[in-house]
Each structure stands twice: as structure tokens, then as C-alpha cells.
Amino acid sequence: MTAHRTPAARARALPARALPALAAVGLLLGCAAPGTADAAAGGRPRDPAPERTATRLVQVTSVHQATGMTLLEGPTFGPDGSLFVVDVTAPAGEPKVLRVDVDTRDVVPVYTNETSAYTSAQFSPHDGRLYLTDFVSGGIDSITADGGDPRTFFAGDVEGEPMRPDDVAFDESGNLFVTDTTGYADPYWEPQGRVVRIDRETAEATVLARDLPAPNGISFTPDFDALWVSHNTGNRVDYLRLDEAGTEVTTAHPAIHFDGGHTQIDSTAVDAAGNVYQGVHGQAKVFVYSPTGELLTTVSLPPRAKGLTSVTNFAIRPGTTDAYLTVSGTAGGFVYEFEALAGGIRQSNGG
């Protein structure tokens, strides 16, 4: 199904149409064609950056017969220390939010509904609830950590235009900053995406930046004074400095360019040292950059890992350097682990 701009109410009223939508979002967010895992690399160092190898922790999902794929996203650590992930292309009746115990490797279903395609998950510092961006409806839902009390936090258009919410980041007060990836497929060369701020109390949405090439990943710097935003169809990461109130962008510029060939960048995270972790779909690899744009290291899967073509997102366990990847492909959806360059903070939790 190609991208369209149906109102949220229509999307929810026609659950049968959710399956092609799930397939479309899967293609956008990480399910590239098999056999591309070792495609072109990114970055710009004079010498090859040192490489790290992630190890398999646990398989979380298998390919769904109804959608023909599975796609893990949004890894974020909850209050109990578990890692929460979403399965973007899970059909109705199958878990859309899951909890992974990274110590015991147990996987527990948390929540599902009929129509949503959740593309990210984050716990709010304001109310402690888990917020989920829904690519199908264009809205944002929230649940408790145990999957209870589902609510719609945001629905409707933003400044008269529907939103395709992808990733989310919270400021220190609990206001939401969301990438609107509108334009990811209609067509690529006409930037239509936005960065949107949503007030934690009123759910009022304002546009901070517009005319962007399908923004995907979003993460604050360690001191919350700026945002890193990665662009799926632009293969670049922008640096957006905010005013003191965090309600306006004061300056912005392209900060990191990614030479991905036929692969595209996905989500972004930041560690305690300010390093930027960039995921890619089309190759199962992570590129780690310094705040000044130097490629510090890459993280790859072991050569024996077959049928895994995308690393969409990552989380670093708070206060540690224990890092976890959501990895997907024809082999299923997995969590892999590796050692991060610096400690985990709120900004290190997926998005």
C-alpha cells in the first residue's frame, strides 16, 4: 500500500486495511531485501574505524504469516529494568508491545490492539507511562508498564496536515518531540517531513522544523539543549539547537552525512559522552559518531547471523555500558547485545 493521508478515525474504523499498512511501514522502517547486510558503509574517517561485534541475546518474534514480516523497534528500559520493544508489523491478536528480561532472556507479551502499527516506545519522565507512536492512525497512545489502562494521548492533524509519527524523545519535563516522516514514499525527492513538539499537559502540537527528508530518529543531547534528527531519505543526521524553553529551534545544520549506497539510516540514540549511535536498514550494522561527526566505531553482527538485514534501534542500560540492538529480517526479530562506548542515559533508550 502506498502512503496516503486518511484521518485517524478512518484508519481505526477499517481494521482490515491495517495489514497492508503494516507491510508498508515494515518496508520503510527496516525490512529491506535479503542479502544487503554487508552493503556500503558510512562515515568519513581517514582510516577504517575499529569494529565491534554484537552477540545474540534472544529471539523475540518470528515472521508473521499475515504480514509476511516482523520488525522490532523502540527498545527502552522500563522501571523494573526490563527492555520493552514493539513489533511494528504484528497483526491484530499478536503482541505489539513485549517485555524482554535481559538477564533471564524471558520474553513476555505486554499489549496488543486491533489496528495500530507502533514504531517506537518511550517512558515519560512526567507520568511514568509508556508512550507509543502509531504509524497507522498518526496518533500517540500510552499504556502502563504492565499493559493496562490504554489511552490515546494525541490524535488528529498537526497544523492542518496529518502526521506519520515515527520516533519520539522526551525533554526533562515530559514534553514529546516526534519525527513526522511524511513524504517517505510520495515521493522521496520532495521533503515533506517535520519535527513536532507536543505539550505534555495539553497535547497541543507545534511544528519546530519542516520540509525535511523523512525524519526518522530523534534524540536529545546529554544536556537537553539540542536534538539529533536522522533523515531516512536524506541519509544525513541534523543538529537542531533549541531555545532555553525548548519550544523553538534557534539554529540547525546537517551534521553527519551517511554514505549508505542503497541502504538508509533509521533510528538514533545518544550516550552519556554525547556519542551518536546510528542504525541502518538494509545492512545490519550500527555506526557510532562523536559529537563532532568522527566515525568512532561500527557494530556488526557475527558472520553466521543470516537473514538479518536491519538494525533499527538500540538502548543502553542506564548507568552501564550494556547495549542492546533490535535486529530484524527474514530470520525473525532478535535482540543482540554489545558494549557501548559510554554509559546509558535517558537519551540512550531507543525512541
Side-chain angles (χ1 to χ4, degrees):
M1 186 182 78
T2 57
H4 54 80
R5 297 181 176 180
T6 54
R10 184 182 300 174
R12 291 192 181 277
L14 297 173
R17 299 181 64 183
L19 293 183
L22 295 180
V25 72
L27 292 175
L28 164 68
L29 297 172
C31 286
T36 61
D38 296 320
R44 52 177 183 80
R46 293 182 179 177
D47 299 315
E51 185 167 293
R52 301 183 178 207
T53 301
T55 58
R56 174 175 164 174
L57 179 73
V58 64
Q59 181 170 0
V60 179
T61 58
S62 299
V63 171
H64 304 289
Q65 183 176 1
T67 59
M69 59 185 69
T70 182
L71 178 61
L72 297 187
E73 262 281 15
T76 186
F77 280 95
D80 66 348
S82 295
L83 185 68
F84 287 72
V85 300
V86 294
D87 184 357
V88 183
T89 63
E94 297 194 38
K96 299 188 177 184
V97 182
L98 304 101
R99 183 172 62 245
V100 180
D101 187 315
V102 297
D103 297 318
T104 66
R105 306 186 183 187
D106 292 332
V107 178
V108 179
V110 173
Y111 179 72
T112 192
N113 65 14
E114 291 297 312
T115 61
S116 297
Y118 293 130
T119 54
S120 68
Q122 282 283 301
F123 281 94
S124 167
H126 171 57
D127 59 15
R129 293 173 63 88
L130 183 65
Y131 284 72
L132 306 160
T133 53
D134 183 3
F135 196 84
V136 169
S137 74
I140 298 174
D141 297 337
S142 75
I143 57 175
T144 60
D146 61 2
D149 190 26
R151 304 176 188 173
T152 298
F153 169 73
F154 174 84
D157 293 348
V158 176
E159 297 187 2
E161 295 291 335
M163 182 168 63
R164 287 292 194 188
D166 196 332
D167 285 7
V168 62
F170 284 96
D171 67 13
E172 293 176 285
S173 298
N175 301 300
L176 291 79
F177 292 71
V178 183
T179 50
D180 172 13
T181 195
T182 294
Y184 76 94
D186 53 354
Y188 283 169
W189 51 87
E190 293 182 6
Q192 303 172 54
R194 300 176 290 183
V195 175
V196 176
R197 179 188 183 274
I198 305 179
D199 186 89
R200 75 174 195 191
E201 299 287 355
T202 66
E204 180 182 358
T206 56
V207 177
L208 299 182
R210 64 180 72 249
D211 299 326
L212 302 174
N216 188 307
I218 185 168
S219 187
F220 278 96
T221 57
D223 53 8
F224 288 94
D225 67 346
L227 289 165
W228 295 101
V229 178
S230 61
H231 299 291
N232 178 260
T233 63
N235 265 359
R236 75 171 196 253
V237 183
D238 287 356
Y239 181 80
L240 282 62
R241 183 170 289 278
L242 304 175
D243 64 1
E244 188 172 349
T247 57
E248 293 183 2
V249 174
T250 58
T251 62
H253 66 271
I256 299 168
H257 294 274
F258 180 76
D259 299 325
H262 57 81
T263 68
Q264 296 169 279
I265 58 176
D266 204 284
S267 296
T268 302
V270 172
D271 67 20
N275 300 315
V276 180
Y277 294 68
Q278 183 58 58
V280 186
H281 73 254
Q283 52 178 318
K285 211 166 191 177
V286 178
F287 296 83
V288 186
Y289 300 89
S290 73
T292 57
E294 177 189 4
L295 180 61
L296 301 177
T297 190
T298 60
V299 183
S300 300
L301 303 188
R304 65 181 181 276
K306 306 298 183 183
L308 297 175
T309 52
S310 295
V311 173
T312 54
N313 216 328
F314 12 74
I316 308 173
R317 199 171 194 173
T320 77
T321 57
D322 300 334
Y324 301 88
L325 309 173
T326 48
V327 186
S328 303
T330 57
F334 295 77
V335 172
Y336 275 69
E337 57 185 346
F338 71 100
E339 185 175 359
L341 276 65
I345 53 177
R346 169 170 288 278
Q347 296 89 321
S348 308
N349 276 272

